Amino acid sequence: MKKIEQVDQFDQLLTKGDPFFFFKHSLTCPISASAYKEFSQFAKNNEEVETYYLAVQESRELSSRIAEQHGVRHESPQVFFFKEGKPIWHTSHNKIKEQTLKEQME
């Protein structure tokens, strides 16, 4: 699981086109802390897919850009699954569970 902080870093991920999960994490929200644990466990148990995250408070520009660029309302916590540079699935808050993430790869 790698931290992404800059718009250009994220754009490089989209350009590559490889499938990846991206988690938007709030450093101050207890729901986000729980979702972060689920996402971390998923990343640890599914190393065949790339996983990335940002801390909303540290990367507001990137967080806003993702919402605007892909037409998905910003939420935190929020997770996306990207394929070929496009978000094909997303969810937020208490719906972020290791099993739910794993199901998206099937």
Side-chain angles (χ1 to χ4, degrees):
M1 189 165 81
K2 299 173 191 167
K3 188 174 186 180
I4 301 292
E5 299 180 279
Q6 303 296 322
V7 169
D8 63 330
Q9 292 174 301
F10 185 76
D11 287 345
Q12 288 175 6
L13 295 176
L14 295 178
T15 301
K16 282 181 21 181
D18 295 337
F20 67 94
F21 284 88
F22 196 86
F23 180 66
K24 292 168 70 173
H25 175 50
S26 170
L27 299 172
T28 57
C29 172
I31 294 171
S32 194
S34 177
Y36 182 84
K37 287 179 187 174
E38 292 282 337
F39 188 74
S40 296
Q41 192 64 38
F42 168 78
K44 179 180 173 185
N45 293 332
N46 297 277
E47 294 180 355
E48 68 275 13
V49 66
E50 295 291 326
T51 52
Y52 302 92
Y53 76 102
L54 66 74
V56 174
Q57 291 88 339
E58 298 171 350
S59 302
R60 288 194 189 278
E61 179 185 2
L62 175 55
S63 181
S64 296
R65 169 83 179 273
I66 293 169
E68 292 168 12
Q69 184 177 16
H70 298 288
V72 177
R73 184 175 69 111
H74 165 76
E75 297 188 71
S76 176
Q78 185 174 40
V79 67
F80 295 85
F81 185 42
F82 285 87
K83 276 190 175 177
E84 299 177 8
K86 307 246 186 271
I88 62 164
W89 175 86
H90 64 90
T91 195
S92 66
H93 294 82
N94 293 323
K95 295 176 187 168
I96 301 171
K97 301 290 184 195
E98 180 182 3
Q99 183 59 38
T100 305
L101 298 170
K102 187 172 177 121
E103 289 168 3
Q104 304 315 307
M105 298 185 344
E106 298 172 353

